[in-house]
Amino acid sequence: MAAANEELSAWLDAAVDPWIACDSHEHVYLINRAAERLLGWTREQLQGHPVAELFPQQFHHQGDQSLVRYLLSRRQALGGRPTKVLARRRDGVEVLVELTVGTSGEGEDERIVLSLRRLHEVIDTIREPMEPPRDGGEARRTSGDDLYRLVVENVPLGIFHYDTTPIITACNERLATIVGTPKRVVVGLNLMSLRDEQLMACVRETLSGHSADYVGDYAAVTSHKVTPVHIRFAPCYNDAGQVEGGVGLVEDVSERRRAERQRDENLALLITLFETAPVALGFLDTNLRYVRVNGRLARINGLPPEAHLGRTPYEVLGEGGSAAAAMLQQVLDTGEPVVGQEVDTQAVGHPGPRRLLTGSCYPVRAPDGHLLGVGVLVEDITQRRLAEEERERLYREAREAIRVRDDFLSIASHELKTPLTPLSLRLATLERRLERGESVDPTTLRHARQHILRMTGLINDLLDASRIEAGRLALHPQATRLDSLVEHVLQAMEAQRGGHELRYERPEHDVQVFADPYRLEQVVTNLVENALKYSPDGGVIHVKLETRGELALLSVKDPGIGIPEDQQKLLFERYFRARNVSTRSYGGLGLGLYISRDIVERHGGRIWVESRVGEGSTFHVALPLLTGAPSHPPASQPERHVH
Ligand code: ADP
């Protein structure tokens, strides 16, 4: 019997597939080496144990028969085809096997042989490991394996083992979830069939004893679900130290990828906001070195953004940076923001053109509250300030214009009314005398006429000023003797010169200009009238005409009140009257010089004044002389004016 057993044992050991031999009571009495390897038991440990213990509970009975008896009874029907069942290994792992059962002998001599062919290993739910027959040390090892299984099943990573083929021989539930493929499909899968070059390269690395990392998208074989994964590959060794396969630790990185994408999007958004914000922005670390500046701040500082990085404001701006540095330091020291500080770049020695800036600095903190650095917000308010100043100037001018208009209205009405009272008095006197048949005094008539002339003059000035404004003051130039024209004006003014003396100095020769004689008379009259008006009675008015080069020069000099220097350039503006002219003592609308300048300039000439307050004034007019043919086309206008 022993010899027969040995012979059987030798036969069985030579077989590639695992074999188990049982007696008629289905107790193991022999297992071959292949079965030892598959199940993890030695034959000595299993001898005498019911073979049913090698299968999970649910396989122990099929109806009222044991598994073995059931399969024997079905042998005919199966026709030698194996049956798939799970076999329990010593470590509790259940492996899928194909089982065929044979029998020989009868009664007590009956021998039953179970042939197991391993399919693929599946780590399933954790089960109690089989009771070890005797050895307590084995129990400890088994609980170590349990721990390993617990870890494998609970770790938030997918884990798979593969052999050198490389076929996946085991995996945990998590892997099936990650890749969206049932475990029974994953186990038994040949990694080659995935046709993923990068993955295969990793597998090859592990089979040659090295670790490798795979980052990519795993497409599930059945569901085609695509999962971004990171797989850490490592080789597995057998007891002899040879690589017997590998293990892959699979991390589902979809969530991380999504978070990264979200973070990238947020970052892109922030960068866009940072770069396109209509204010200058920057950030400095706690050593007050620039970490980031946007284009606007870089432009204000006069350096490209990258030239700021790692440098202090002092290094970037020189002396001009010390004010900024002090502000930043204050924020670091106090943890409080400094808001809306105005900086004049010129005043602080900032390089580049002068600008007006407002700067705010504020502490930048991490979510846990610790200080990361200082944020800087700078606004260039130069344009705004200039616009404000311009607005203020326009406002001042508008107010001034309103004041001038109001003054003018009161002056104009006063000026126009003034001659009316004496005029009506004189007319009343005349009327009375005529009624009484008395003779009429020609002086009364002359005075009445003078008042009318004065009013006509004022109204003419008003009309001329509005024509000038509208660009419609007509000129009718012709060759004109300026020397005679001046003389004529002075003669005409004899009546109104009062106690003044008019002296006329003129060249021996004729002085010809090409001009509108009526308008030139108006200019000369105005200058002489002003000289009379603004100088004390008895003063001498010097009127001088000379030629110099191509110019005729006329000056009217009086020993009068003079004109304050700051007002001199404004005299020729419309309605302007110098501040030393009180409306009471000196009537006038402030239009004479305005009209005169327009007439002179339109003749190609110039008018200006020299004066000192209290010492008198000299008004000068320069006009081009008429040399041969007229040097310029007549500036006449189609419309005829009323003289
Ligand atoms: P008006 O004499 O009617 O006020 P004008 O345009 O002729 O207007 O003169 C403008 C202003 O110039 C005068 O109001 C006066 O303040 C000043 N001005 C003109 N001529 C003289 C002068 N000869 N002496 C002092 N001030 C003068």
Side-chain angles (χ1 to χ4, degrees), residues 526-527 530-531 533-535 558 560-563 571 573 576-581 586-594 611 616-617 619:
N526 180 46
L527 294 181
N530 279 350
K533 187 161 66 174
Y534 298 114
S535 56
D558 68 63
I561 58 172
I563 301 149
L571 291 187
E573 299 297 324
F576 186 85
R577 308 201 73 223
R579 72 171 102 78
N580 59 339
V581 172
Y586 308 99
L589 294 177
L591 288 175
L593 289 180
Y594 169 70
S611 178
S617 313
F619 281 83

PDB file of all heavy atoms in Angstrom, residues 526-527 530-531 533-535 558 560-563 571 573 576-581 586-594 611 616-617 619, ligand 1:
ATOM      1  N   ASN A 526      -9.722 156.556 -31.450  1.00  0.00           N
ATOM      2  CA  ASN A 526      -9.837 155.820 -30.189  1.00  0.00           C
ATOM      3  C   ASN A 526      -8.615 156.030 -29.306  1.00  0.00           C
ATOM      4  O   ASN A 526      -8.730 156.286 -28.101  1.00  0.00           O
ATOM      5  CB  ASN A 526     -10.061 154.332 -30.485  1.00  0.00           C
ATOM      6  CG  ASN A 526     -10.187 153.529 -29.210  1.00  0.00           C
ATOM      7  OD1 ASN A 526     -10.902 153.941 -28.296  1.00  0.00           O
ATOM      8  ND2 ASN A 526      -9.485 152.424 -29.131  1.00  0.00           N
ATOM      9  N   LEU A 527      -7.405 155.971 -29.931  1.00  0.00           N
ATOM     10  CA  LEU A 527      -6.181 156.124 -29.145  1.00  0.00           C
ATOM     11  C   LEU A 527      -6.102 157.530 -28.552  1.00  0.00           C
ATOM     12  O   LEU A 527      -5.757 157.711 -27.383  1.00  0.00           O
ATOM     13  CB  LEU A 527      -4.941 155.826 -30.003  1.00  0.00           C
ATOM     14  CG  LEU A 527      -4.802 154.364 -30.486  1.00  0.00           C
ATOM     15  CD1 LEU A 527      -3.517 154.188 -31.307  1.00  0.00           C
ATOM     16  CD2 LEU A 527      -4.789 153.401 -29.303  1.00  0.00           C
ATOM     17  N   ASN A 530      -8.708 157.997 -25.777  1.00  0.00           N
ATOM     18  CA  ASN A 530      -8.257 157.350 -24.527  1.00  0.00           C
ATOM     19  C   ASN A 530      -7.204 158.205 -23.838  1.00  0.00           C
ATOM     20  O   ASN A 530      -7.223 158.369 -22.616  1.00  0.00           O
ATOM     21  CB  ASN A 530      -7.684 155.964 -24.803  1.00  0.00           C
ATOM     22  CG  ASN A 530      -8.782 154.916 -24.953  1.00  0.00           C
ATOM     23  OD1 ASN A 530      -9.946 155.211 -24.664  1.00  0.00           O
ATOM     24  ND2 ASN A 530      -8.418 153.729 -25.398  1.00  0.00           N
ATOM     25  N   ALA A 531      -6.254 158.729 -24.652  1.00  0.00           N
ATOM     26  CA  ALA A 531      -5.185 159.562 -24.083  1.00  0.00           C
ATOM     27  C   ALA A 531      -5.790 160.767 -23.369  1.00  0.00           C
ATOM     28  O   ALA A 531      -5.361 161.136 -22.263  1.00  0.00           O
ATOM     29  CB  ALA A 531      -4.233 160.006 -25.190  1.00  0.00           C
ATOM     30  N   LYS A 533      -8.922 160.918 -22.260  1.00  0.00           N
ATOM     31  CA  LYS A 533      -9.797 160.460 -21.175  1.00  0.00           C
ATOM     32  C   LYS A 533      -9.006 160.076 -19.937  1.00  0.00           C
ATOM     33  O   LYS A 533      -9.413 160.371 -18.813  1.00  0.00           O
ATOM     34  CB  LYS A 533     -10.626 159.275 -21.685  1.00  0.00           C
ATOM     35  CG  LYS A 533     -11.703 158.798 -20.734  1.00  0.00           C
ATOM     36  CD  LYS A 533     -12.787 157.967 -21.437  1.00  0.00           C
ATOM     37  CE  LYS A 533     -12.265 156.657 -21.971  1.00  0.00           C
ATOM     38  NZ  LYS A 533     -13.324 155.804 -22.519  1.00  0.00           N
ATOM     39  N   TYR A 534      -7.850 159.374 -20.144  1.00  0.00           N
ATOM     40  CA  TYR A 534      -7.144 158.812 -18.995  1.00  0.00           C
ATOM     41  C   TYR A 534      -5.948 159.660 -18.548  1.00  0.00           C
ATOM     42  O   TYR A 534      -5.055 159.161 -17.878  1.00  0.00           O
ATOM     43  CB  TYR A 534      -6.698 157.368 -19.307  1.00  0.00           C
ATOM     44  CG  TYR A 534      -7.879 156.452 -19.575  1.00  0.00           C
ATOM     45  CD1 TYR A 534      -8.090 155.895 -20.829  1.00  0.00           C
ATOM     46  CD2 TYR A 534      -8.800 156.170 -18.557  1.00  0.00           C
ATOM     47  CE1 TYR A 534      -9.174 155.072 -21.074  1.00  0.00           C
ATOM     48  CE2 TYR A 534      -9.891 155.350 -18.802  1.00  0.00           C
ATOM     49  CZ  TYR A 534     -10.074 154.804 -20.061  1.00  0.00           C
ATOM     50  OH  TYR A 534     -11.152 154.004 -20.293  1.00  0.00           O
ATOM     51  N   SER A 535      -5.909 160.934 -18.947  1.00  0.00           N
ATOM     52  CA  SER A 535      -4.831 161.798 -18.430  1.00  0.00           C
ATOM     53  C   SER A 535      -5.453 163.116 -17.939  1.00  0.00           C
ATOM     54  O   SER A 535      -6.514 163.512 -18.424  1.00  0.00           O
ATOM     55  CB  SER A 535      -3.756 162.044 -19.498  1.00  0.00           C
ATOM     56  OG  SER A 535      -4.333 162.573 -20.645  1.00  0.00           O
ATOM     57  N   ASP A 558       0.609 159.715 -23.583  1.00  0.00           N
ATOM     58  CA  ASP A 558      -0.076 160.617 -22.650  1.00  0.00           C
ATOM     59  C   ASP A 558       0.586 160.566 -21.294  1.00  0.00           C
ATOM     60  O   ASP A 558       1.257 159.589 -20.968  1.00  0.00           O
ATOM     61  CB  ASP A 558      -1.558 160.230 -22.549  1.00  0.00           C
ATOM     62  CG  ASP A 558      -1.758 158.900 -21.875  1.00  0.00           C
ATOM     63  OD1 ASP A 558      -1.400 158.755 -20.688  1.00  0.00           O
ATOM     64  OD2 ASP A 558      -2.280 157.938 -22.534  1.00  0.00           O
ATOM     65  N   GLY A 560      -0.865 160.165 -18.447  1.00  0.00           N
ATOM     66  CA  GLY A 560      -2.049 159.845 -17.635  1.00  0.00           C
ATOM     67  C   GLY A 560      -1.819 158.843 -16.512  1.00  0.00           C
ATOM     68  O   GLY A 560      -0.705 158.674 -16.000  1.00  0.00           O
ATOM     69  N   ILE A 561      -2.915 158.141 -16.183  1.00  0.00           N
ATOM     70  CA  ILE A 561      -2.921 157.263 -14.998  1.00  0.00           C
ATOM     71  C   ILE A 561      -2.094 156.000 -15.205  1.00  0.00           C
ATOM     72  O   ILE A 561      -1.727 155.323 -14.265  1.00  0.00           O
ATOM     73  CB  ILE A 561      -4.367 156.864 -14.626  1.00  0.00           C
ATOM     74  CG1 ILE A 561      -5.056 156.166 -15.811  1.00  0.00           C
ATOM     75  CG2 ILE A 561      -5.169 158.078 -14.175  1.00  0.00           C
ATOM     76  CD1 ILE A 561      -6.407 155.563 -15.460  1.00  0.00           C
ATOM     77  N   GLY A 562      -1.803 155.648 -16.468  1.00  0.00           N
ATOM     78  CA  GLY A 562      -1.030 154.443 -16.734  1.00  0.00           C
ATOM     79  C   GLY A 562      -1.872 153.177 -16.540  1.00  0.00           C
ATOM     80  O   GLY A 562      -3.037 153.228 -16.147  1.00  0.00           O
ATOM     81  N   ILE A 563      -1.204 152.044 -16.820  1.00  0.00           N
ATOM     82  CA  ILE A 563      -1.934 150.758 -16.764  1.00  0.00           C
ATOM     83  C   ILE A 563      -1.093 149.762 -15.958  1.00  0.00           C
ATOM     84  O   ILE A 563       0.106 149.607 -16.237  1.00  0.00           O
ATOM     85  CB  ILE A 563      -2.150 150.205 -18.188  1.00  0.00           C
ATOM     86  CG1 ILE A 563      -2.957 151.213 -19.021  1.00  0.00           C
ATOM     87  CG2 ILE A 563      -2.865 148.867 -18.170  1.00  0.00           C
ATOM     88  CD1 ILE A 563      -2.636 151.183 -20.478  1.00  0.00           C
ATOM     89  N   LEU A 571      -5.612 144.313 -22.232  1.00  0.00           N
ATOM     90  CA  LEU A 571      -6.334 145.525 -22.656  1.00  0.00           C
ATOM     91  C   LEU A 571      -7.088 145.358 -23.952  1.00  0.00           C
ATOM     92  O   LEU A 571      -8.128 145.963 -24.167  1.00  0.00           O
ATOM     93  CB  LEU A 571      -5.337 146.674 -22.889  1.00  0.00           C
ATOM     94  CG  LEU A 571      -4.641 147.246 -21.667  1.00  0.00           C
ATOM     95  CD1 LEU A 571      -3.839 148.458 -22.089  1.00  0.00           C
ATOM     96  CD2 LEU A 571      -5.655 147.622 -20.616  1.00  0.00           C
ATOM     97  N   GLU A 573      -8.534 142.736 -25.037  1.00  0.00           N
ATOM     98  CA  GLU A 573      -9.636 141.768 -25.014  1.00  0.00           C
ATOM     99  C   GLU A 573     -10.963 142.521 -24.971  1.00  0.00           C
ATOM    100  O   GLU A 573     -11.036 143.641 -24.452  1.00  0.00           O
ATOM    101  CB  GLU A 573      -9.547 140.861 -23.769  1.00  0.00           C
ATOM    102  CG  GLU A 573      -8.281 140.024 -23.690  1.00  0.00           C
ATOM    103  CD  GLU A 573      -8.173 139.035 -24.829  1.00  0.00           C
ATOM    104  OE1 GLU A 573      -9.228 138.509 -25.236  1.00  0.00           O
ATOM    105  OE2 GLU A 573      -7.046 138.841 -25.350  1.00  0.00           O
ATOM    106  N   PHE A 576     -12.624 144.418 -21.811  1.00  0.00           N
ATOM    107  CA  PHE A 576     -11.689 144.531 -20.697  1.00  0.00           C
ATOM    108  C   PHE A 576     -11.415 145.993 -20.335  1.00  0.00           C
ATOM    109  O   PHE A 576     -11.156 146.824 -21.193  1.00  0.00           O
ATOM    110  CB  PHE A 576     -10.362 143.827 -21.016  1.00  0.00           C
ATOM    111  CG  PHE A 576      -9.450 143.810 -19.818  1.00  0.00           C
ATOM    112  CD1 PHE A 576      -9.573 142.822 -18.861  1.00  0.00           C
ATOM    113  CD2 PHE A 576      -8.530 144.838 -19.621  1.00  0.00           C
ATOM    114  CE1 PHE A 576      -8.775 142.844 -17.733  1.00  0.00           C
ATOM    115  CE2 PHE A 576      -7.736 144.862 -18.489  1.00  0.00           C
ATOM    116  CZ  PHE A 576      -7.857 143.861 -17.544  1.00  0.00           C
ATOM    117  N   ARG A 577     -11.478 146.250 -19.042  1.00  0.00           N
ATOM    118  CA  ARG A 577     -11.140 147.585 -18.549  1.00  0.00           C
ATOM    119  C   ARG A 577     -10.197 147.385 -17.377  1.00  0.00           C
ATOM    120  O   ARG A 577     -10.432 146.541 -16.512  1.00  0.00           O
ATOM    121  CB  ARG A 577     -12.394 148.331 -18.085  1.00  0.00           C
ATOM    122  CG  ARG A 577     -13.500 148.327 -19.163  1.00  0.00           C
ATOM    123  CD  ARG A 577     -14.507 149.438 -18.946  1.00  0.00           C
ATOM    124  NE  ARG A 577     -13.951 150.727 -19.277  1.00  0.00           N
ATOM    125  CZ  ARG A 577     -14.119 151.831 -18.547  1.00  0.00           C
ATOM    126  NH1 ARG A 577     -14.844 151.770 -17.430  1.00  0.00           N
ATOM    127  NH2 ARG A 577     -13.585 152.972 -18.889  1.00  0.00           N
ATOM    128  N   ALA A 578      -9.102 148.108 -17.347  1.00  0.00           N
ATOM    129  CA  ALA A 578      -8.109 147.923 -16.284  1.00  0.00           C
ATOM    130  C   ALA A 578      -8.719 148.285 -14.927  1.00  0.00           C
ATOM    131  O   ALA A 578      -9.671 149.060 -14.850  1.00  0.00           O
ATOM    132  CB  ALA A 578      -6.882 148.787 -16.568  1.00  0.00           C
ATOM    133  N   ARG A 579      -8.094 147.661 -13.866  1.00  0.00           N
ATOM    134  CA  ARG A 579      -8.747 147.821 -12.563  1.00  0.00           C
ATOM    135  C   ARG A 579      -8.604 149.240 -11.993  1.00  0.00           C
ATOM    136  O   ARG A 579      -9.335 149.601 -11.085  1.00  0.00           O
ATOM    137  CB  ARG A 579      -8.227 146.772 -11.578  1.00  0.00           C
ATOM    138  CG  ARG A 579      -6.818 146.969 -11.080  1.00  0.00           C
ATOM    139  CD  ARG A 579      -6.541 145.982  -9.969  1.00  0.00           C
ATOM    140  NE  ARG A 579      -5.748 144.845 -10.446  1.00  0.00           N
ATOM    141  CZ  ARG A 579      -4.445 144.894 -10.653  1.00  0.00           C
ATOM    142  NH1 ARG A 579      -3.776 146.019 -10.450  1.00  0.00           N
ATOM    143  NH2 ARG A 579      -3.783 143.852 -11.070  1.00  0.00           N
ATOM    144  N   ASN A 580      -7.638 150.034 -12.538  1.00  0.00           N
ATOM    145  CA  ASN A 580      -7.479 151.396 -12.009  1.00  0.00           C
ATOM    146  C   ASN A 580      -8.449 152.387 -12.669  1.00  0.00           C
ATOM    147  O   ASN A 580      -8.337 153.582 -12.511  1.00  0.00           O
ATOM    148  CB  ASN A 580      -6.030 151.881 -12.188  1.00  0.00           C
ATOM    149  CG  ASN A 580      -5.606 151.886 -13.644  1.00  0.00           C
ATOM    150  OD1 ASN A 580      -6.212 151.199 -14.453  1.00  0.00           O
ATOM    151  ND2 ASN A 580      -4.581 152.666 -13.970  1.00  0.00           N
ATOM    152  N   VAL A 581      -9.394 151.850 -13.474  1.00  0.00           N
ATOM    153  CA  VAL A 581     -10.340 152.727 -14.158  1.00  0.00           C
ATOM    154  C   VAL A 581     -11.682 152.602 -13.452  1.00  0.00           C
ATOM    155  O   VAL A 581     -12.333 151.572 -13.556  1.00  0.00           O
ATOM    156  CB  VAL A 581     -10.477 152.266 -15.631  1.00  0.00           C
ATOM    157  CG1 VAL A 581     -11.603 153.031 -16.293  1.00  0.00           C
ATOM    158  CG2 VAL A 581      -9.195 152.477 -16.375  1.00  0.00           C
ATOM    159  N   TYR A 586     -14.187 157.388 -15.308  1.00  0.00           N
ATOM    160  CA  TYR A 586     -13.869 157.204 -16.728  1.00  0.00           C
ATOM    161  C   TYR A 586     -14.914 156.302 -17.370  1.00  0.00           C
ATOM    162  O   TYR A 586     -14.915 155.098 -17.141  1.00  0.00           O
ATOM    163  CB  TYR A 586     -12.484 156.561 -16.904  1.00  0.00           C
ATOM    164  CG  TYR A 586     -11.384 157.259 -16.154  1.00  0.00           C
ATOM    165  CD1 TYR A 586     -10.944 156.776 -14.928  1.00  0.00           C
ATOM    166  CD2 TYR A 586     -10.777 158.404 -16.686  1.00  0.00           C
ATOM    167  CE1 TYR A 586      -9.940 157.405 -14.234  1.00  0.00           C
ATOM    168  CE2 TYR A 586      -9.766 159.044 -15.987  1.00  0.00           C
ATOM    169  CZ  TYR A 586      -9.351 158.544 -14.767  1.00  0.00           C
ATOM    170  OH  TYR A 586      -8.350 159.156 -14.084  1.00  0.00           O
ATOM    171  N   GLY A 587     -15.778 156.867 -18.153  1.00  0.00           N
ATOM    172  CA  GLY A 587     -16.781 156.047 -18.848  1.00  0.00           C
ATOM    173  C   GLY A 587     -16.129 155.247 -19.955  1.00  0.00           C
ATOM    174  O   GLY A 587     -15.012 155.544 -20.392  1.00  0.00           O
ATOM    175  N   GLY A 588     -16.833 154.259 -20.455  1.00  0.00           N
ATOM    176  CA  GLY A 588     -16.280 153.445 -21.547  1.00  0.00           C
ATOM    177  C   GLY A 588     -16.795 152.023 -21.461  1.00  0.00           C
ATOM    178  O   GLY A 588     -17.184 151.554 -20.399  1.00  0.00           O
ATOM    179  N   LEU A 589     -16.802 151.362 -22.618  1.00  0.00           N
ATOM    180  CA  LEU A 589     -17.335 149.992 -22.663  1.00  0.00           C
ATOM    181  C   LEU A 589     -16.245 148.932 -22.749  1.00  0.00           C
ATOM    182  O   LEU A 589     -16.527 147.752 -22.765  1.00  0.00           O
ATOM    183  CB  LEU A 589     -18.255 149.844 -23.882  1.00  0.00           C
ATOM    184  CG  LEU A 589     -19.546 150.664 -23.858  1.00  0.00           C
ATOM    185  CD1 LEU A 589     -20.304 150.467 -25.161  1.00  0.00           C
ATOM    186  CD2 LEU A 589     -20.411 150.254 -22.694  1.00  0.00           C
ATOM    187  N   GLY A 590     -14.988 149.355 -22.846  1.00  0.00           N
ATOM    188  CA  GLY A 590     -13.919 148.357 -22.977  1.00  0.00           C
ATOM    189  C   GLY A 590     -13.935 147.728 -24.362  1.00  0.00           C
ATOM    190  O   GLY A 590     -13.564 146.569 -24.526  1.00  0.00           O
ATOM    191  N   LEU A 591     -14.350 148.467 -25.379  1.00  0.00           N
ATOM    192  CA  LEU A 591     -14.424 147.893 -26.728  1.00  0.00           C
ATOM    193  C   LEU A 591     -13.456 148.546 -27.702  1.00  0.00           C
ATOM    194  O   LEU A 591     -13.052 147.931 -28.691  1.00  0.00           O
ATOM    195  CB  LEU A 591     -15.844 148.043 -27.290  1.00  0.00           C
ATOM    196  CG  LEU A 591     -16.905 147.149 -26.652  1.00  0.00           C
ATOM    197  CD1 LEU A 591     -18.282 147.488 -27.205  1.00  0.00           C
ATOM    198  CD2 LEU A 591     -16.583 145.684 -26.911  1.00  0.00           C
ATOM    199  N   GLY A 592     -13.056 149.801 -27.415  1.00  0.00           N
ATOM    200  CA  GLY A 592     -12.242 150.572 -28.362  1.00  0.00           C
ATOM    201  C   GLY A 592     -10.970 149.843 -28.761  1.00  0.00           C
ATOM    202  O   GLY A 592     -10.690 149.675 -29.965  1.00  0.00           O
ATOM    203  N   LEU A 593     -10.190 149.375 -27.778  1.00  0.00           N
ATOM    204  CA  LEU A 593      -8.914 148.731 -28.105  1.00  0.00           C
ATOM    205  C   LEU A 593      -9.133 147.366 -28.760  1.00  0.00           C
ATOM    206  O   LEU A 593      -8.337 146.944 -29.603  1.00  0.00           O
ATOM    207  CB  LEU A 593      -8.054 148.575 -26.840  1.00  0.00           C
ATOM    208  CG  LEU A 593      -7.478 149.894 -26.289  1.00  0.00           C
ATOM    209  CD1 LEU A 593      -6.645 149.622 -25.033  1.00  0.00           C
ATOM    210  CD2 LEU A 593      -6.596 150.590 -27.331  1.00  0.00           C
ATOM    211  N   TYR A 594     -10.197 146.699 -28.364  1.00  0.00           N
ATOM    212  CA  TYR A 594     -10.526 145.402 -28.971  1.00  0.00           C
ATOM    213  C   TYR A 594     -10.783 145.588 -30.464  1.00  0.00           C
ATOM    214  O   TYR A 594     -10.223 144.867 -31.301  1.00  0.00           O
ATOM    215  CB  TYR A 594     -11.754 144.825 -28.258  1.00  0.00           C
ATOM    216  CG  TYR A 594     -12.378 143.630 -28.925  1.00  0.00           C
ATOM    217  CD1 TYR A 594     -11.728 142.394 -28.952  1.00  0.00           C
ATOM    218  CD2 TYR A 594     -13.629 143.725 -29.528  1.00  0.00           C
ATOM    219  CE1 TYR A 594     -12.314 141.295 -29.550  1.00  0.00           C
ATOM    220  CE2 TYR A 594     -14.223 142.627 -30.136  1.00  0.00           C
ATOM    221  CZ  TYR A 594     -13.554 141.410 -30.150  1.00  0.00           C
ATOM    222  OH  TYR A 594     -14.123 140.330 -30.749  1.00  0.00           O
ATOM    223  N   SER A 611       3.586 151.181 -20.686  1.00  0.00           N
ATOM    224  CA  SER A 611       2.945 152.040 -19.689  1.00  0.00           C
ATOM    225  C   SER A 611       3.472 151.764 -18.293  1.00  0.00           C
ATOM    226  O   SER A 611       3.923 150.651 -17.997  1.00  0.00           O
ATOM    227  CB  SER A 611       1.426 151.782 -19.707  1.00  0.00           C
ATOM    228  OG  SER A 611       0.799 152.557 -18.724  1.00  0.00           O
ATOM    229  N   GLY A 616       1.917 157.415 -17.107  1.00  0.00           N
ATOM    230  CA  GLY A 616       1.386 157.606 -18.455  1.00  0.00           C
ATOM    231  C   GLY A 616       1.539 156.367 -19.309  1.00  0.00           C
ATOM    232  O   GLY A 616       2.109 155.364 -18.886  1.00  0.00           O
ATOM    233  N   SER A 617       0.998 156.452 -20.519  1.00  0.00           N
ATOM    234  CA  SER A 617       1.005 155.295 -21.416  1.00  0.00           C
ATOM    235  C   SER A 617       1.365 155.756 -22.816  1.00  0.00           C
ATOM    236  O   SER A 617       1.060 156.886 -23.204  1.00  0.00           O
ATOM    237  CB  SER A 617      -0.386 154.657 -21.489  1.00  0.00           C
ATOM    238  OG  SER A 617      -0.933 154.498 -20.209  1.00  0.00           O
ATOM    239  N   PHE A 619       0.724 154.212 -26.652  1.00  0.00           N
ATOM    240  CA  PHE A 619       0.193 153.161 -27.522  1.00  0.00           C
ATOM    241  C   PHE A 619       0.885 153.264 -28.865  1.00  0.00           C
ATOM    242  O   PHE A 619       1.068 154.369 -29.392  1.00  0.00           O
ATOM    243  CB  PHE A 619      -1.321 153.307 -27.685  1.00  0.00           C
ATOM    244  CG  PHE A 619      -2.070 152.765 -26.490  1.00  0.00           C
ATOM    245  CD1 PHE A 619      -2.248 153.531 -25.352  1.00  0.00           C
ATOM    246  CD2 PHE A 619      -2.569 151.466 -26.500  1.00  0.00           C
ATOM    247  CE1 PHE A 619      -2.908 153.023 -24.252  1.00  0.00           C
ATOM    248  CE2 PHE A 619      -3.248 150.955 -25.396  1.00  0.00           C
ATOM    249  CZ  PHE A 619      -3.416 151.733 -24.264  1.00  0.00           C
TER     250      PHE A 619
HETATM  251  P1  ADP B   1     -12.733 152.064 -22.810  1.00  0.00           P
HETATM  252  O1  ADP B   1     -11.726 153.166 -22.826  1.00  0.00           O
HETATM  253  O2  ADP B   1     -14.008 152.395 -23.426  1.00  0.00           O
HETATM  254  O3  ADP B   1     -12.858 151.449 -21.465  1.00  0.00           O
HETATM  255  P2  ADP B   1     -10.822 150.733 -24.510  1.00  0.00           P
HETATM  256  O4  ADP B   1     -10.884 149.417 -25.157  1.00  0.00           O
HETATM  257  O5  ADP B   1     -10.520 151.886 -25.363  1.00  0.00           O
HETATM  258  O6  ADP B   1     -12.159 150.895 -23.698  1.00  0.00           O
HETATM  259  O7  ADP B   1      -9.722 150.638 -23.385  1.00  0.00           O
HETATM  260  C1  ADP B   1      -9.715 149.536 -22.586  1.00  0.00           C
HETATM  261  C2  ADP B   1      -9.092 149.841 -21.248  1.00  0.00           C
HETATM  262  O8  ADP B   1      -7.704 150.142 -21.436  1.00  0.00           O
HETATM  263  C3  ADP B   1      -9.625 151.049 -20.597  1.00  0.00           C
HETATM  264  O9  ADP B   1     -10.798 150.768 -19.859  1.00  0.00           O
HETATM  265  C4  ADP B   1      -8.509 151.444 -19.688  1.00  0.00           C
HETATM  266  O10 ADP B   1      -8.533 150.692 -18.516  1.00  0.00           O
HETATM  267  C5  ADP B   1      -7.305 151.088 -20.494  1.00  0.00           C
HETATM  268  N1  ADP B   1      -6.744 152.232 -21.249  1.00  0.00           N
HETATM  269  C6  ADP B   1      -6.897 152.455 -22.579  1.00  0.00           C
HETATM  270  N2  ADP B   1      -6.188 153.555 -22.932  1.00  0.00           N
HETATM  271  C7  ADP B   1      -5.581 154.009 -21.805  1.00  0.00           C
HETATM  272  C8  ADP B   1      -4.727 155.109 -21.522  1.00  0.00           C
HETATM  273  N3  ADP B   1      -4.339 155.989 -22.490  1.00  0.00           N
HETATM  274  N4  ADP B   1      -4.294 155.293 -20.256  1.00  0.00           N
HETATM  275  C9  ADP B   1      -4.679 154.406 -19.284  1.00  0.00           C
HETATM  276  N5  ADP B   1      -5.501 153.350 -19.504  1.00  0.00           N
HETATM  277  C10 ADP B   1      -5.939 153.141 -20.740  1.00  0.00           C
END
